[in-house]
């Protein structure tokens, strides 16, 4: 897979960051996903400022576990565990970061066109 995410700043006038994430995924069953990827992101100087573009690179590995919220199978709860090796422009050492996200999805209609989603994520620097 590939995700590309441009981020705009200054009332949508300027491109501030681009995030590019190629990845490979394997689903050993319908409740487990194993994913590994690369992250590349240029960070441009703020509008009106000069300076070099900074680049961040990361390798990451992730496990996603999901299960129904109710015995009838309505709703879903997912847990995402990610480990990142970050190569930051401001340091010579590799930064290791762990992340945990939990997300609940609850369909609001039978066709699942409308879904209520709640999530939270914590980041922990390991070194």
């Amino acid at each position: 897979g590939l995700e590309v995410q441009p981020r705009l700043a200054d009332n949508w006038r300027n491109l501030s960051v681009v995030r590019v994430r190629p990845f490979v995924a394997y689903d050993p069953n319908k409740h487990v996903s194993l994913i590994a990827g690369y992250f590349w992101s240029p960070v441009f100087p703020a509008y009106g400022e000069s300076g070099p573009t900074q680049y961040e690179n990361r390798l990451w590995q992730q496990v996603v576990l999901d299960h129904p919220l109710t015995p009838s199978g309505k709703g879903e709860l997912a847990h995402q565990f990610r480990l990142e090796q970050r190569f930051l422009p401001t340091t010579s050492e590799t930064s290791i970061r762990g992340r945990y996200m939990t997300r609940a999805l609850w369909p609001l209609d039978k066709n699942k066109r409308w879904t209520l989603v709640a999530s939270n994520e914590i980041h922990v620097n390991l070194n």
Side-chain angles (χ1 to χ4, degrees):
L2 175 65
E3 295 177 4
V4 178
Q5 185 183 78
R7 293 191 174 184
L8 301 172
D10 304 310
N11 293 321
W12 296 45
R13 291 182 296 176
N14 296 297
L15 184 64
S16 63
V17 175
V18 176
R19 294 177 168 210
V20 180
R21 290 185 197 99
F23 62 91
V24 293
Y26 172 66
D27 299 334
N29 63 53
K30 67 180 186 175
H31 298 292
V32 177
S33 295
L34 307 172
I35 307 164
Y38 174 72
F39 173 97
W40 176 77
S41 178
V43 179
F44 304 107
Y47 180 70
E49 294 183 14
S50 62
T53 299
Q54 303 277 333
Y55 296 90
E56 181 179 348
N57 296 276
R58 299 180 200 165
L59 297 173
W60 55 273
Q61 307 79 39
Q62 176 174 293
V63 175
V64 180
L65 308 171
D66 62 61
H67 55 86
L69 276 172
T70 66
S72 66
K74 187 171 183 180
E76 179 181 296
L77 184 63
H79 306 274
Q80 173 185 297
F81 303 90
R82 181 182 287 187
L83 185 64
E84 298 175 334
Q85 299 80 46
R86 303 172 72 204
F87 307 96
L88 302 168
T90 56
T91 182
S92 61
E93 285 189 32
T94 301
S95 174
I96 309 296
R97 180 167 71 180
R99 295 168 63 169
Y100 169 72
M101 181 184 72
T102 186
R103 179 182 66 233
L105 292 93
W106 190 261
L108 299 175
D109 64 353
K110 284 196 274 187
N111 298 324
K112 297 183 180 180
R113 288 180 292 183
W114 294 93
T115 303
L116 181 64
V117 179
S119 69
N120 200 6
E121 184 173 18
I122 61 169
H123 299 204
V124 178
N125 290 319
L126 300 174
N127 63 341

